[in-house]
Amino acid sequence: MRPSWDQYFMEMAEVVKTRSTCMRRQVGAVVVKDKRVLSSGYNGAPSGIEHCEKTGCLREQLGVPSGERHELCRGLHAEQNAIIQAAYHGVEIQGTTLYVTLQPCVLCAKMLINAGVKRLVFKGQYPDDLSEKMLTEAGIEMEKFE
């Protein structure tokens, strides 16, 4: 039996996350429109910056719990990198679907809203009620991938 498009694109996000350089959690994201991949991203340090694998995890060193103080991290989130890659290459992502291996945090949710993403398919749960509330308020269709 052929996999659904959601399954197919979520598998792609799972492959993308293998490029992550984060020591705590690997996340992958794929931006899709009309069954075509427009952009992808994984979490990790910005281009030209030492990866946490080499410098150590700042969040671990400071004892920062998951879901808090996002600014205390060298890395960008997968969703952020997917949006940045689209912008860098001049690809419009308004009206797209984002497939991501972890529910977005509130910072990423705000970026997805302003980028014009219309549908979000996510796999893992993330402890951020405000993110879910804002995405719902913005009218972004959210689906937990099972």
Side-chain angles (χ1 to χ4, degrees):
M1 185 169 154
R2 188 174 185 169
S4 70
W5 286 108
D6 284 348
Q7 184 178 357
Y8 177 74
F9 290 121
M10 188 57 76
E11 286 175 9
M12 291 182 80
E14 287 288 343
V15 171
V16 169
K17 88 175 188 180
T18 65
R19 299 214 46 216
S20 171
T21 59
C22 180
M23 298 172 65
R24 277 186 149 186
R25 175 183 296 148
Q26 287 71 47
V27 181
V30 178
V31 179
V32 175
K33 188 171 190 175
D34 299 327
K35 299 177 186 161
R36 288 181 170 82
V37 175
L38 302 181
S39 179
S40 65
Y42 53 89
N43 57 328
S47 299
I49 302 295
E50 294 285 344
H51 293 292
C52 301
E53 297 162 330
K54 193 168 190 175
T55 64
C57 177
L58 179 61
R59 294 173 61 79
E60 287 292 328
Q61 294 165 9
L62 297 174
V64 178
S66 181
E68 296 179 16
R69 305 289 314 269
H70 298 284
E71 75 280 7
L72 296 175
C73 179
R74 295 177 63 80
L76 290 144
H77 291 184
E79 303 94 325
Q80 294 167 343
N81 272 324
I83 292 168
I84 291 165
Q85 282 303 306
Y88 185 86
H89 293 287
V91 176
E92 181 182 324
I93 62 171
Q94 184 174 3
T96 58
T97 297
L98 177 81
Y99 292 87
V100 63
T101 60
L102 185 67
Q103 181 181 349
C105 72
V106 70
L107 297 175
C108 290
K110 291 186 276 188
M111 290 180 190
L112 295 171
I113 292 165
N114 278 359
V117 171
K118 291 299 174 202
R119 181 171 175 247
L120 170 67
V121 181
F122 63 94
K123 205 167 185 180
Q125 292 290 128
Y126 188 72
D128 195 329
D129 294 335
L130 183 56
S131 167
E132 191 171 343
K133 182 179 178 184
M134 291 184 78
L135 290 164
T136 300
E137 183 180 338
I140 295 179
E141 179 186 340
M142 291 189 306
E143 296 176 32
K144 173 98 167 68
F145 184 82
E146 300 295 336

